[in-house]
Amino acid sequence: MHVKARTLAFCGLLLALTVVFMALGSVIETSTLFLLAAASFFVGIAVREFGLKAGAAFYIAAVLLGFITAPNKFYVFTFAVMGFYIWGIEAVWRWLEKRPGLGRRRVIFWISKYVIFNIVYIPIIILFRDLLFVHAVSDMVVIGIVIGGQVGLLVYDRAYEYTQVHVWGRMRGRMMG
């Protein structure tokens, strides 16, 4: 596989920023989710700029480097879940772009977002219940957490869309031009 130097350099810069954001999430505890979300948005930039394969390579490299360098490995795991979601929705979007005749593409896209999220989120909440919660929690609390996660996904997804359109949209011309 022949990789252009510019692509490699830009992905290296994004990778460095991703790892810095993951590490800062351990240092600045009050902004951990914000910093991890911002780090995962770089996965989306890599996918949109260089394709799904390069985005997958970027994602894997970010997770591996995060486990090597970040002080809190749990935050790297959180980043891995967020990055997987971003890569998954970008893959679904590209799949839908190739099928212009498919009806209700927006509905399919939104359903896909929630399916991808819940494939990861619900098993984590159920399987790692003792790790995530200090005290035993009832099934009703777990159901509330699952519902809260759906609302959290909506906020996270809106932030990602805003970042891609408004923030990266403005910076793209300067960085990639």
Side-chain angles (χ1 to χ4, degrees), residues 43-60 84 86-98:
V43 173
I45 291 171
V47 170
R48 288 190 180 192
E49 295 300 327
F50 307 112
L52 286 172
K53 288 181 184 177
F58 176 86
Y59 167 72
I60 292 167
F84 175 77
I86 295 292
W87 188 88
I89 65 170
E90 290 293 339
V92 169
W93 179 256
R94 286 175 181 253
W95 182 82
L96 288 170
E97 278 183 327
K98 294 177 183 175

Side-chain angles (χ1 to χ4, degrees), residues 7 10-11 13-15 17-18 21 37-52 54-56 58-59 83 86-87 89-90 94 159-172 175-176:
T7 301
F10 187 73
C11 282
L13 177 65
L14 286 179
L15 190 57
L17 287 171
T18 301
F21 277 37
S40 70
F41 293 171
F42 292 125
V43 173
I45 291 171
V47 170
R48 288 190 180 192
E49 295 300 327
F50 307 112
L52 286 172
F58 176 86
Y59 167 72
I86 295 292
W87 188 88
I89 65 170
E90 290 293 339
R94 286 175 181 253
Y160 175 66
E161 288 176 10
Y162 180 85
T163 301
Q164 284 292 348
V165 172
H166 297 288
V167 177
W168 179 243
R170 288 187 192 136
M171 292 176 63
R172 185 177 191 277
M175 301 285 288
M176 303 300 289

Side-chain angles (χ1 to χ4, degrees), residues 26-157:
S26 297
V27 176
I28 308 171
E29 291 287 333
T30 56
S31 299
T32 298
L33 278 178
F34 171 79
L35 290 165
L36 293 175
S40 70
F41 293 171
F42 292 125
V43 173
I45 291 171
V47 170
R48 288 190 180 192
E49 295 300 327
F50 307 112
L52 286 172
K53 288 181 184 177
F58 176 86
Y59 167 72
I60 292 167
V63 171
L64 292 175
L65 273 174
F67 276 118
I68 292 169
T69 61
N72 191 330
K73 307 311 180 205
F74 183 73
Y75 294 161
V76 178
F77 181 72
T78 305
F79 162 80
V81 170
M82 292 173 150
F84 175 77
Y85 169 78
I86 295 292
W87 188 88
I89 65 170
E90 290 293 339
V92 169
W93 179 256
R94 286 175 181 253
W95 182 82
L96 288 170
E97 278 183 327
K98 294 177 183 175
R99 289 155 181 80
L102 190 63
R104 299 182 184 238
R105 292 181 338 155
R106 191 159 230 7
V107 172
I108 293 170
F109 187 53
W110 271 99
I111 290 170
S112 298
K113 286 180 176 187
Y114 278 92
V115 167
I116 291 168
F117 173 74
N118 285 305
I119 282 173
V120 177
Y121 182 67
I122 292 174
I124 288 172
I125 296 299
I126 293 170
L127 296 175
F128 297 109
R129 190 178 199 171
D130 294 333
L131 179 67
L132 295 173
F133 307 109
V134 177
H135 302 288
V137 293
S138 69
D139 290 340
M140 290 307 294
V141 171
V142 171
I143 290 170
I145 291 169
V146 169
I147 292 169
Q150 309 311 304
V151 174
L153 173 64
L154 183 64
V155 172
Y156 175 72
D157 194 70

